[in-house]
Amino acid sequence: MRTSYFRYFPDKREVLFAGSERMPPALAEAVLAADPALTPLAAALDALARVGTQLVEQVADIAERQAVIDASPELQERERTKAAAITAAIRDGLKQRQVTADTAELVAQLATVAFQNAFRHWIATAGQADFRRCLHMVTDDLRAALAGT
């Protein structure tokens, strides 16, 4: 008996996002597992580095995938929905670490933007760069921009 493609994916576009539903819970868990001495931003970035490193090991044909997403407003919207879920997971993890709601929201948004930029940089290297290093480069740039240097 042949199985249908649609048994596994409700829509052709979903194949591009397969497994992405596992990322938010993994991030929330990683934020909670981060060293309690870390600042909220450091805890969020540590979580993103750990989960992001695992993610990039599982992504195939990344440049082609990103080109398809970039060419489709519908897929870009799906990517934004995924980013919102990442932000919410980080925020919720930070709140469980007793970070105030306003600070948790701001830090989660900044961390998500850093993650997105690091991921794009990693894609630009055709997956040859170390993801953690890409994230560190982006966060160094973010810190410099916030410091006005």
Side-chain angles (χ1 to χ4, degrees), residues 45-46 48-57 62 114-115 117-140:
L45 293 173
D46 179 69
L48 283 166
R50 286 191 275 138
V51 173
T53 297
Q54 293 172 353
L55 170 73
V56 298
E57 291 172 356
I62 191 63
F115 172 76
N117 281 275
F119 194 66
R120 282 215 178 253
H121 181 73
W122 180 80
I123 291 169
T125 70
Q128 299 303 306
D130 176 69
F131 178 76
R132 189 176 292 265
R133 184 166 170 79
C134 292
L135 184 60
H136 285 302
M137 287 175 24
V138 167
T139 56
D140 286 347

Side-chain angles (χ1 to χ4, degrees), residues 65-145:
R65 175 191 176 276
Q66 194 61 51
V68 169
I69 292 170
D70 290 345
S72 167
E74 290 174 353
L75 294 177
Q76 292 169 27
E77 178 61 31
R78 175 68 171 89
E79 190 87 333
R80 285 189 292 275
T81 300
K82 187 176 77 171
I86 289 170
T87 300
I90 294 168
R91 179 199 62 224
D92 294 348
L94 290 171
K95 285 168 64 177
Q96 288 184 41
R97 288 174 62 105
Q98 308 307 312
V99 175
T100 65
D102 288 343
T103 299
E105 182 68 32
L106 178 61
V107 168
Q109 290 173 359
L110 287 171
T112 300
V113 168
F115 172 76
Q116 291 171 315
N117 281 275
F119 194 66
R120 282 215 178 253
H121 181 73
W122 180 80
I123 291 169
T125 70
Q128 299 303 306
D130 176 69
F131 178 76
R132 189 176 292 265
R133 184 166 170 79
C134 292
L135 184 60
H136 285 302
M137 287 175 24
V138 167
T139 56
D140 286 347
D141 289 347
L142 175 61
R143 286 183 177 109

Side-chain angles (χ1 to χ4, degrees), residues 13-25:
R13 295 172 298 215
E14 286 302 309
V15 74
L16 294 170
F17 300 99
S20 65
E21 71 282 353
R22 295 187 310 249
M23 190 168 179

